[in-house]
Amino acid sequence: MKIKWRQHELMAVTLLTVFAAIRYFLRMFSGAPFAENVAFYKKILLAQYAVLLIQYGCYIWLNKVIIAKLQPASQQKAMPKYGIAQAFIRYGLLSLQFVVIIYLLGPVSNFIAYSATRSFADPAMANLVNSVFPAHPQELCNTFGGFDITLFFVGIYMLYVVLREAVIYLAGKKNGRLLYAAITNQLTLLGLVLVAVQPLMYVILPGDVRGPLGVSVGTIFYILAPSVYVVYLVEAYWLFPQKGDKPLLHPFITSKLLLLTAICAMPAMFLHSGQSDGPWAGFFTGWLFHLIVTTPLSWLVYQQRKDRILQLRNIEKELGHSTADIQFLRSQINPHFLFNVLNTLYGTALQEDAARTAEGIQKLGDMMRFMLHDNNRENIPLQREVQYLNNYIALQTLRIQQSPNITVQADMNDAGCNHNIAPMLLIPFVENAFKHGISLVEPSWINIKLSCDKGGIFFSVHNSMHEKKENDTEQYKSGIGIVNVKKRLQLVYPGRYTLKFNADGREFFVHLNIQL
């Protein structure tokens, strides 16, 4: 799981920037002196927006350029090796960028604020504007006015970045990194919400809205929200997983649950500190709230997450089984060792002037080459599958061409068909027809037909049936070819194929339709 601390921080800074821009705009319209001095209002507002964009741009620059090049450990990449000269140039340029950022945040921002607030001739107006848009009291000729203060605060932020990257690195390295990453994401999300709520309330709520205890809505939220979130995190990621098969009211679980909710209810005491019923009323109210509301909701979220994880694990297990089944089925039809033997036999047949034998070996060699190369792919062009079928039929025809009572017809029209198909998917039906549909003493026939359109492939095989002899060793053997092809169809084309078998005692046929 990826830790989203940096993303949450970027969202928080972006929201603060947007809310600050809205706040500047609203404050300018809410003050009567500014309404009477439209020119000054425009100048102050533009100056505020300029400083705001500088601050946001420097934050993006610092995190996306400078820090990003100094955090290979958090990205789990090795630090590139540099020579002394290359390292000096690289880190010298990064340091120069760091100084430029401090200069933009300090002296440049201060110059903008100073020039805007000191442009008023009326001291009362200047003081009023300076209260809205304060500037560091430095002379304009002081090029580095505010540089020292900015350097201090940026240094504090860099210490925070070191802590952030260390936590991300350790959370990604530990054995329970998924748990640590989940908790870290939850905590940074809480920080994002806490940062965004106050300015959002300033924009949405009219004035200072008070709750039932005379406390502002913002204060109530900042006291109760963290405690509720802590109860949820501890219960969902630590307490409930410890439960196992124990009942929820087991003494071991109940004692920890009561202690946790009691500790997290203590912040509610501050809401009742000025009330007649005293802080203990707030404590017991918060404790009851965590037991009745927070804990059931945490249990519900925990169960939903647990069910989702189990579903993902089942899907992963089924996918693993499916992949293993496909590999196993393919391994049954990949006799690699035969290819070299066929080359030897082909050369021997040519030396002995056995044309039919050489032709048969060549056909079989082409089939083996297909099995060795194309059979390892997920999909192949339909023409390659048809070519393999034609080679197989031609090889079988060599065996039965001296029998006049046997008829084999193959009508496989793949012209203009651009479909791909899983390899070795059609051959088992043809093998089955030659295995069970041919008799050297009785009239026999096999009709094979293949066609396709834009929607899919249509394949059918009809063959004669013959009564098995009592001494036939294949009488009670069904083989694995048809069984395998059924499994492959279910795995590769689930819900997109139709497979029908039928037999009337004289003829057996199979129809296969694959929607592609």
Side-chain angles (χ1 to χ4, degrees), residues 228 231-232 235-236 240 293-303:
V228 170
V231 171
Y232 157 70
E235 289 180 343
F240 293 152
V293 179
T294 309
T295 298
L297 290 178
S298 300
W299 174 257
L300 179 62
V301 174
Y302 166 73
Q303 288 294 335

Side-chain angles (χ1 to χ4, degrees), residues 187-442:
L187 291 176
T188 56
L189 181 61
L190 173 62
L192 171 62
V193 173
L194 294 179
V195 167
V197 162
Q198 184 61 36
L200 182 62
M201 288 183 176
Y202 179 87
V203 174
I204 296 177
L205 297 179
D208 187 14
V209 179
R210 297 279 171 171
L213 300 176
V215 184
S216 67
V217 175
T219 302
I220 295 175
F221 176 82
Y222 280 105
I223 289 178
L224 294 183
S227 63
V228 170
Y229 213 74
V230 168
V231 171
Y232 157 70
L233 287 178
V234 176
E235 289 180 343
Y237 289 94
W238 177 70
L239 186 58
F240 293 152
Q242 280 189 344
K243 185 181 75 68
D245 296 331
K246 303 183 187 71
L248 191 59
L249 297 180
H250 189 276
F252 176 76
I253 303 297
T254 304
S255 58
K256 292 185 177 182
L257 182 62
L258 293 174
L259 179 61
L260 168 66
T261 52
I263 294 175
C264 292
M266 290 182 179
M269 298 172 65
F270 295 98
L271 297 178
H272 283 255
S273 58
Q275 303 298 317
S276 58
D277 48 8
W280 288 107
F283 169 76
F284 286 109
T285 302
W287 195 6
L288 189 64
F289 177 83
H290 288 317
L291 289 175
I292 296 178
V293 179
T294 309
T295 298
L297 290 178
S298 300
W299 174 257
L300 179 62
V301 174
Y302 166 73
Q303 288 294 335
Q304 290 179 346
R305 190 177 74 250
K306 182 179 177 181
D307 293 340
R308 187 163 58 250
I309 292 175
L310 290 176
Q311 290 176 357
L312 291 176
R313 287 180 178 176
N314 290 333
I315 293 174
E316 183 180 5
K317 185 183 297 184
E318 292 176 0
L319 181 61
H321 284 314
S322 300
T323 304
D325 288 342
I326 291 177
Q327 294 298 329
F328 173 71
L329 295 174
R330 286 180 173 179
S331 67
Q332 294 178 342
I333 50 178
N334 270 333
H336 293 261
F337 71 95
L338 289 178
F339 191 65
N340 292 330
V341 177
L342 290 175
N343 285 334
T344 303
L345 294 176
Y346 179 71
T348 303
L350 290 179
Q351 292 176 359
E352 297 178 351
D353 198 21
R356 291 180 57 199
T357 303
E359 182 184 358
I361 294 175
Q362 184 181 14
K363 296 291 185 184
L364 186 57
D366 292 339
M367 293 172 60
M368 293 302 302
R369 189 173 293 106
F370 172 87
M371 295 168 66
L372 288 172
H373 297 289
D374 293 347
N375 189 40
N376 291 321
R377 301 177 182 176
E378 293 292 332
N379 291 287
I380 61 171
L382 179 62
Q383 289 81 357
R384 292 288 296 137
E385 183 80 2
V386 171
Q387 183 181 359
Y388 179 82
L389 291 176
N390 285 328
N391 285 334
Y392 178 82
I393 295 170
L395 189 62
Q396 288 286 357
T397 303
L398 288 175
R399 180 175 65 93
I400 62 175
Q401 66 180 1
Q402 300 300 325
S403 301
N405 293 329
I406 300 176
T407 303
V408 177
Q409 293 183 349
D411 180 14
M412 290 183 285
N413 183 15
D414 61 343
C417 184
N418 298 321
H419 293 304
N420 290 335
I421 190 173
M424 302 293 291
L425 193 63
L426 306 179
I427 188 62
F429 302 112
V430 179
E431 290 178 341
N432 188 70
F434 277 98
K435 178 180 179 181
H436 301 288
I438 295 298
S439 172
L440 298 178
V441 296
E442 299 179 18

